[in-house]
Amino acid sequence: AMVRVALMRVPSIRSQLRTQGLLEDFLKDHRPDMFNRRYAQCFPPG
Amino acid sequence: TPSLRLRRSSEKIYNFMDAQYYGEISVGTPPQNFSVIFDTGSADLWVPSSYCVSQACAFHRRFKAFESKTFHHDGRSFGIHYGSGHLLGVMGRDTVKIGDMTILNQQFGESVYEPGSAFVTAKFDGVLGLAYQSLAEILGNPVFDNMLAQKIVDQPVFSFYLSRRTRTSNPQGELLLGGIDEAMYNGSINWLPVSAKRYWQVEMDSVVVQGGSSFCPIGCHAIIDTGTSLIGGPTRDVLRLQQLIGATPTNNGEFVIDCTRLSSLPRITFILGGKEYTLTSEQYVRKEPFGISDLCFSGFQAFDIISPEGPMWILGDVFLTEYYSIFDRGLDRIGLAQA
């Protein structure tokens, strides 16, 4: 009563978007927090 | 953060952008095959529906409920919000097969709307969550709960081996449902009690950077998550950590490292249950092909997860490729051993 499931490793969505040169536009459209986070250290805690 | 959802006092993280390892399952009678991420960071099973007309669905296998003799319509809808969008769908029940195992009347979601471009490039069709039921969005038992209820597995345990090498290794990864594969690890297993039965969450003693700096010095919590590729931690800690390893931010919010400096970078040690889990720079830096050379990315990512237990870290594939992981539902504990 055990089953082995073989797992395939594939490039992540992020990696594929980067390869296609689409990551920056994708993140601007979908993940503005990724940009905000760059400046998180400039703000007080909380 | 947008990738965080608060509901029923539990936190949900859906970060499909960084998932890397998938396997095959089938749904329905006769079986319809799907590739899914086996994700310890969520608890739902969903696959695209044949009724989905989103661009992302066009690139994936879609479940045809009308071709399955064992399908039961549910009538309720579900929605999952993730970091870069959301998906909507309807719920149903059907027979699910994983390898030779058959799970009857498994609740699952058929997504009928997958807006945006996130899933267009995804190599997987859906997600099979392996976290505790309290994290489930879709009502009913998660897959492994049903396997236990239907006494399909001998032991209430599943374990992951994830290989770093993509092309040369065989297998690239393995999920063993119902047991532990002793051939996949060295030494003894260190068992850690689950601290909250939502994620596979444990207490972490501290994170130490070679040379003295440390994070979470009085302890914090960590999630063992096969559905994300990096190691996540509180923003303030991770930004300092990036500085300590010489990683600089890109316009995309990612952090790059000079590949020629890898040998001089510090080791980083996660202390869990009094035992040290050390990653070298070769292990925590991810190399990705870029033209004729490689780009080196930091394997650390900022995530601010506010939980009753305080700030949390996420130990994803960067950690799990080095350590074989065992998830024990019988004794609510996680085992880690050198992979």
Side-chain angles (χ1 to χ4, degrees), chain B residues 261-306:
Chain B
R261 293 187 54 239
L262 291 196
S263 60
S264 64
L265 297 185
R267 292 165 175 251
I268 296 178
T269 301
F270 298 84
I271 303 176
L272 296 149
K275 187 166 168 41
E276 294 186 353
Y277 296 88
T278 298
L279 298 180
T280 65
S281 57
E282 291 287 345
Q283 291 165 339
Y284 65 70
V285 169
R286 301 172 66 220
K287 286 183 185 171
E288 297 211 1
F290 187 75
I292 54 167
S293 59
D294 285 333
L295 272 181
C296 287
F297 289 93
S298 165
F300 298 97
Q301 194 174 30
F303 276 113
D304 284 309
I305 305 167
I306 301 145

Side-chain angles (χ1 to χ4, degrees), chain B residues 11 21 27-28 49 71 73-74 199 229 232 244 267 272 275:
Chain B
E11 305 75 30
Y21 293 88
V27 182
S49 166
F71 178 76
H73 180 61
D74 183 291
Y199 294 106
S229 64
L244 291 169
R267 292 165 175 251
L272 296 149
K275 187 166 168 41

